[in-house]
Amino acid sequence: MPPKNLLLFIFVLTSYALFSQEDRITKKEVLQLLNSSDSCLYKSDYKNSLTFSRKALNFALQLNDNDLIARSYNTIAGNYEEIVEIDKALEYYDKSVYHFEKAFNDTLKAAVYNNIGNIYFYRKKDFEKGIQFYTKSVEISEKINNIYSIVLSKLNLTSLYFENNQYNQGIIHLDYVEKHQSYIRIIYVKSYFHILLGKKFQHLKQYEKAELNFKEAINIGEKNNSKIYLSDSYHDYSKFLFAIGKHQEAYTFLEKHQFLKNEIFDLEKIKNVKIIGMDIALDESKRELSAINKEKNLQSENLKKTKIIVSLILVFLMLMLFLLYILYRNNIFRKKINDFLEDKNEELKIAKEKAEEASKLKTQFISTISHELRTPLYGVVGITNMLSDEHKELADSPHLNSLKFSARYLLSLVNDLLQINKIEENKVVLENLTMNIYDEINMVSNSLSFIANRNKNKVVTIIDESIPDYLVGDKLRLSQILMNLVSNALKFTQNGEVIIKANLEKRDNTICFVKFEIEDTGVGIAEKDLSKIFDKFVQIDRKEDDYQGAGLGLSIVKKLVNLFKSEIFVESEEGRGTKFTFTIAFDADMSKVNEIINDIKVDLSSDMVYKVLVVEDNKINQMVTRKIMERNNFKTVIVDDGYAAMEALSKEQFDVILMDINMPLINGFDTTRLIRKKGITIPIIALTAFAKDEISEEAISAGMNDVLIKPFEPSKLIYSIETLVKRKMD
Ligand code: ADP
């Protein structure tokens, strides 16, 4: 068994460090624990030594103090070495070196290398490796100039060389120690030094010196009760005694050595130590495991985080992709819609242009047709009237009556068409005239008495007496509405009753809301047709040979009522009758009424004889106009065109000129301009089949005084002539 006391140096080292370190209280405590552990190890009390070093290691780890960790591992390794758990001892020494390196503690690193050298030397008998570690230790110690540490390593090297019978090599190192023996402060090291000196002198056969040194070593050991050291000292001294032939004495010391050795390596102790050792290993494993777990947790947490981040990124990417897709789809959709709308817009533009063109054409067409139709109709109606006037015997002729009826029907159709057209083009503006509701209703009922009689109907008029006598409103349009509704009521009723009612619904200051009701007991209208009857050209259940209307009447009525800013309602029951209702607001402000009345300067009592120049190219019209004039005792000169008119004017004096507009050679406007140029100021009345609004502006600018639309009421023409001539004379 090789000497083992060199291990003690290490413990002395760490314990020694305790006194040199004045650190935080906790660190101090750790060092105290290590000190206790070292003390126990000196006494071979491995159990307590390991308990202390284990505690110290736990504290050191908590403090994360590499120096303390390294010291703890070193002590633990020392214990394992002592109980001959070599591999474990090496494992802990390695850890110790690792932590001393981290703590930059070269002194203790050198010490641990020393201890590792011991293991290779004593335990593994690997002298080469032993020398390597001792030499490393010496090198480090030399670097930091730690003589004491060099002394320790050199002592070990000496021991190794002696053991390997390389005495000369060993003596070189031992000489160094002898020179520096003052550095040896620890008693056990001194004892070991003496053993080696004993061996040296034994080798050099200087037996006295050798014995002295061996005895000195034993002396130190016995004084200090160091069992390991003493055991080895007894052993080496016994070997020396044997070598010098003192066999008896040698045997005594060998026994002493054996006794101590047995005591030291008491099996029970080893068992206890092993248990503690196992605890330490367990602690170590636990620590490693918890470190691994920590690492694992950290990793799994990182992984989780990474997973979450990756999932979030994925979700985000998917969302972005989805949004992109939607955007893309929307874009395509929008583009399609845009293209579609553009196409439609283009189509609509074209359609609008076409519609406008068509509407223009329609207006022109209606205007032309009305013009073209009205002129001959004017003739037809006029001639028919003349015929019945001149040939009284024909008064009952069914042919003549039929002719009259047809001509009138055609005229009313043309007029209706013209009116609708005008309303639709917003050309109709209501006029403010003074009116009396009773007169208007009476006029309507009287003028329709013929149809009433024909269908054997009774017309009843009920007029609210609270309606003021004078109202301001467009009586012509009102009578037109009533005329249409009452004539319909009479047409669709046989042997029944038609009631015309006017009630003052409410009064708002001067504004009177008059509610009109036209009710009949006729055929009625089916519910399904009620919504259609106000449309244009709608006739329900009409017989083909019936010329009573073109289906425009109600459509005109609705438009006229709307012009009055009102609405018309219908209630009907088939077989029982129909009721139309509408309310119109009239102003009953007397000052306005008076104003209007004062504006009318008419003297219808005049029986003046005027001389009239008629400029007209149409022979029938010439005849009709002449007839009207003659019936009023006006003198008439008729010319065919404008130039003839100029000639006539240069020869004769006239009171008034009736001028056709549409004439060959020179039209009415230009003729009027020529007349005015000559300085002739007599009134000129335009007689035209054009709608009034279309020509009135040009007529006035050409110098005309009034415009009458053909066919006109003869009385209207007379009224106009008288007014203008009288005004001229005034
Ligand atoms: P018209 O009288 O020229 O046919 P209207 O526009 O005046 O055209 O009337 C449209 C249709 O409404 C008529 O053809 C008729 O069928 C129905 N109608 C109008 N008034 C009455 C009424 N008082 N009684 C029954 N039917 C009516």
Side-chain angles (χ1 to χ4, degrees):
M1 184 86 201
K4 309 198 46 43
N5 40 356
L6 277 189
L7 291 177
L8 300 179
F9 301 165
I10 310 311
F11 313 129
V12 173
L13 267 171
T14 52
S15 304
Y16 181 72
L18 167 70
F19 305 107
S20 65
Q21 301 270 336
E22 279 299 324
D23 225 323
R24 285 181 302 164
I25 189 78
T26 40
K27 188 164 179 178
K28 211 170 175 182
E29 276 167 10
V30 179
L31 286 168
Q32 265 165 4
L33 282 169
L34 286 172
N35 200 27
S36 307
S37 177
D38 286 353
S39 308
C40 291
L41 183 56
Y42 294 147
K43 291 170 199 158
S44 303
D45 182 358
Y46 309 122
K47 184 183 168 185
N48 282 322
S49 175
L50 278 170
T51 310
F52 285 128
S53 54
R54 190 179 140 203
K55 267 190 190 169
L57 178 62
N58 284 338
F59 273 126
L61 284 166
Q62 274 172 34
L63 286 172
N64 198 21
D65 185 320
N66 279 309
D67 186 64
L68 291 179
I69 296 168
R71 284 166 198 260
S72 307
Y73 279 132
N74 185 45
T75 308
I76 292 165
N79 273 287
Y80 278 113
E81 193 183 346
E82 281 301 286
I83 56 165
V84 207
E85 293 258 6
I86 303 308
D87 289 336
K88 275 196 175 167
L90 270 178
E91 184 189 326
Y92 287 112
Y93 278 135
D94 279 347
K95 286 184 182 182
S96 181
V97 169
Y98 171 77
H99 287 282
F100 276 134
E101 248 165 25
K102 274 186 138 184
F104 304 108
N105 192 336
D106 283 343
T107 311
L108 295 193
K109 197 171 110 184
V112 179
Y113 276 141
N114 200 35
N115 291 342
I116 297 172
N118 288 344
I119 292 207
Y120 284 107
F121 167 31
Y122 295 117
R123 306 295 179 190
K124 292 189 173 267
K125 301 291 177 209
D126 186 343
F127 294 151
E128 278 303 308
K129 273 212 160 163
I131 293 167
Q132 258 177 37
F133 278 100
Y134 289 141
T135 314
K136 261 190 193 177
S137 177
V138 171
E139 278 166 10
I140 294 169
S141 303
E142 278 173 350
K143 230 196 293 174
I144 55 173
N145 200 26
N146 188 336
I147 308 291
Y148 176 61
S149 190
I150 300 170
V151 165
L152 290 181
S153 300
K154 292 232 180 226
L155 278 171
N156 286 333
L157 272 169
T158 309
S159 180
L160 187 146
Y161 284 121
F162 282 2
E163 182 74 12
N164 207 24
N165 284 323
Q166 293 173 282
Y167 279 94
N168 293 339
Q169 296 267 32
I171 288 167
I172 295 171
H173 294 293
L174 194 59
D175 285 348
Y176 175 91
V177 178
E178 270 193 275
K179 269 185 212 149
H180 296 89
Q181 59 177 292
S182 60
Y183 285 90
I184 304 172
R185 289 187 296 272
I186 293 173
I187 201 80
Y188 313 113
V189 182
K190 263 187 188 155
S191 144
Y192 186 54
F193 170 56
H194 285 296
I195 291 173
L196 289 175
L197 277 176
K199 283 188 174 184
K200 170 189 158 189
F201 289 123
Q202 184 182 349
H203 173 72
L204 295 175
K205 302 203 189 315
Q206 297 176 11
Y207 296 123
E208 266 180 41
K209 275 188 181 175
E211 185 153 23
L212 264 173
N213 278 298
F214 280 129
K215 279 190 171 165
E216 179 58 21
I218 288 169
N219 187 31
I220 293 169
E222 282 175 346
K223 263 190 200 158
N224 291 288
N225 194 29
S226 169
K227 285 177 187 164
I228 296 172
Y229 160 75
L230 196 55
S231 158
D232 286 343
S233 298
Y234 285 151
H235 193 210
D236 286 331
Y237 184 48
S238 150
K239 279 198 270 183
F240 166 74
L241 288 173
F242 196 78
I244 59 168
K246 293 184 180 175
H247 295 111
Q248 191 55 47
E249 272 183 77
Y251 184 73
T252 314
F253 280 99
L254 191 63
E255 266 196 334
K256 280 186 177 184
H257 159 71
Q258 204 56 48
F259 178 76
L260 270 183
K261 191 186 157 195
N262 288 344
E263 210 175 296
I264 292 164
F265 291 98
D266 183 284
L267 278 175
E268 185 56 35
K269 276 181 187 168
I270 290 170
K271 208 172 138 196
N272 283 342
V273 165
K274 277 196 173 166
I275 292 164
I276 303 296
M278 273 164 72
D279 284 352
I280 289 168
L282 207 66
D283 282 349
E284 195 66 15
S285 308
K286 272 186 194 164
R287 260 192 297 278
E288 274 167 11
L289 208 68
S290 90
I292 288 167
N293 274 345
K294 243 189 196 166
E295 181 74 6
K296 221 173 94 186
N297 283 345
L298 207 78
Q299 272 180 7
S300 76
E301 225 156 79
N302 280 346
L303 201 74
K304 252 191 220 163
K305 275 183 198 162
T306 316
K307 267 186 187 167
I308 290 171
I309 290 169
V310 167
S311 324
L312 278 175
I313 289 172
L314 268 177
V315 168
F316 179 74
L317 275 178
M318 274 165 74
L319 249 164
M320 289 301 288
L321 269 176
F322 183 66
L323 280 175
L324 263 177
Y325 175 69
I326 296 256
L327 262 171
Y328 173 72
R329 282 280 307 267
N330 271 1
N331 239 17
I332 288 182
F333 184 66
R334 222 181 16 224
K335 210 171 165 271
K336 263 189 197 164
I337 291 270
N338 260 4
D339 290 351
F340 177 74
L341 284 178
E342 261 172 32
D343 287 353
K344 282 284 154 211
N345 242 8
E346 201 52 41
E347 278 173 27
L348 279 176
K349 233 165 128 188
I350 294 167
K352 189 182 155 237
E353 278 164 13
K354 274 188 184 164
E356 277 172 359
E357 183 70 24
S359 160
K360 226 168 153 187
L361 279 174
K362 190 189 90 180
T363 316
Q364 273 174 8
F365 172 75
I366 289 171
S367 181
T368 315
I369 285 285
S370 68
H371 178 258
E372 294 303 322
L373 283 178
R374 272 180 172 209
T375 313
L377 273 178
Y378 175 68
V380 172
V381 173
I383 289 170
T384 320
N385 285 338
M386 274 164 55
L387 267 178
S388 56
D389 278 358
E390 283 171 10
H391 302 276
K392 301 284 184 216
E393 72 277 9
L394 290 177
D396 294 328
S397 157
H399 298 305
L400 191 63
N401 283 337
S402 180
L403 177 66
K404 251 189 188 172
F405 178 79
S406 301
R408 284 219 182 92
Y409 170 74
L410 272 175
L411 249 180
S412 76
L413 176 65
V414 168
N415 284 338
D416 283 356
L417 272 171
L418 251 175
Q419 180 146 25
I420 289 241
N421 199 39
K422 274 171 87 177
I423 298 174
E424 280 179 354
E425 292 190 347
N426 297 324
K427 282 186 178 165
V428 175
V429 184
L430 293 183
E431 285 174 47
N432 280 342
L433 302 166
T434 52
M435 53 178 272
N436 176 284
I437 294 285
Y438 180 83
D439 283 350
E440 291 308 313
I441 292 178
N442 241 16
M443 190 272 284
V444 169
S445 120
N446 286 340
S447 56
L448 294 173
S449 58
F450 170 73
I451 319 175
N453 292 337
R454 192 184 63 191
N455 286 351
K456 300 186 182 68
N457 290 323
K458 206 173 118 197
V459 177
V460 181
T461 55
I462 306 168
I463 297 161
D464 189 344
E465 286 191 353
S466 56
I467 298 173
D469 283 346
Y470 293 99
L471 295 172
V472 177
D474 194 329
K475 61 179 174 187
L476 294 175
R477 265 71 197 221
L478 173 66
S479 66
Q480 205 177 348
I481 295 169
L482 294 172
M483 199 76 118
N484 273 306
L485 293 174
V486 176
S487 73
N488 272 350
L490 291 167
K491 275 193 298 189
F492 298 106
T493 309
Q494 301 274 347
N495 299 317
E497 199 176 59
V498 172
I499 305 167
I500 310 169
K501 254 195 229 172
N503 263 315
L504 185 62
E505 196 176 51
K506 63 169 180 175
R507 200 182 163 133
D508 199 351
N509 280 330
T510 60
I511 308 294
C512 294
F513 291 86
V514 181
K515 183 177 182 184
F516 296 90
E517 283 177 28
I518 292 87
E519 194 174 357
D520 64 56
T521 54
V523 294
I525 306 162
E527 195 164 346
K528 66 174 169 49
D529 298 323
L530 277 178
S531 57
K532 289 190 271 179
I533 55 166
F534 293 106
D535 293 342
K536 276 188 268 182
F537 302 108
V538 168
Q539 295 177 321
I540 293 149
D541 297 338
R542 252 323 165 64
K543 281 168 238 130
E544 293 214 345
D545 57 347
D546 186 355
Y547 289 113
Q548 294 186 26
L552 288 170
L554 285 184
S555 163
I556 292 175
V557 164
K558 185 178 159 73
K559 287 183 199 298
L560 287 174
V561 171
N562 290 159
L563 268 182
F564 279 103
K565 295 190 173 57
S566 183
E567 258 186 279
I568 184 158
F569 303 98
V570 60
E571 298 163 43
S572 188
E573 206 179 312
E574 269 185 297
R576 303 207 66 164
T578 309
K579 181 159 98 175
F580 287 92
T581 329
F582 61 94
T583 302
I584 290 180
F586 297 100
D587 199 347
D589 189 346
M590 268 322 283
S591 60
K592 280 189 192 162
V593 172
N594 287 331
E595 206 180 304
I596 294 165
I597 291 173
N598 290 338
D599 270 3
I600 306 169
K601 288 175 193 144
V602 194
D603 183 5
L604 288 172
S605 62
S606 158
D607 46 355
M608 295 279 289
V609 177
Y610 298 125
K611 207 171 165 191
V612 184
L613 173 63
V614 178
V615 190
E616 169 71 77
D617 64 321
N618 186 305
K619 296 291 173 207
I620 296 170
N621 286 352
Q622 284 179 0
M623 222 161 70
V624 173
T625 312
R626 182 196 293 275
K627 201 76 207 167
I628 297 169
M629 295 299 102
E630 282 174 358
R631 271 176 49 197
N632 282 276
N633 294 323
F634 292 168
K635 279 189 183 153
T636 320
V637 172
I638 295 177
V639 290
D640 286 338
D641 60 77
Y643 300 116
M646 294 304 294
E647 211 182 306
L649 281 169
S650 65
K651 287 181 193 158
E652 283 178 69
Q653 282 273 331
F654 293 94
D655 294 306
V656 66
I657 303 168
L658 303 184
M659 179 81 72
D660 185 24
I661 298 288
N662 202 10
M663 290 183 296
L665 297 179
I666 176 167
N667 70 28
F669 299 127
D670 292 339
T671 310
T672 306
R673 283 191 193 99
L674 284 177
I675 294 167
R676 294 297 183 224
K677 251 192 191 166
K678 286 250 163 171
I680 300 165
T681 56
I682 53 167
I684 300 174
I685 299 169
L687 298 179
T688 173
F690 286 116
K692 188 175 179 177
D693 299 345
E694 289 167 35
I695 61 147
S696 52
E697 231 174 87
E698 194 174 355
I700 303 298
S701 75
M704 291 174 158
N705 304 79
D706 198 2
V707 179
L708 285 182
I709 309 293
K710 287 189 261 186
F712 44 79
E713 292 266 324
S715 59
K716 266 194 187 166
L717 176 57
I718 303 305
Y719 172 74
S720 178
I721 291 171
E722 285 187 334
T723 318
L724 288 170
V725 175
K726 274 201 91 187
R727 195 181 291 165
K728 170 98 190 355
M729 289 193 301
D730 291 344

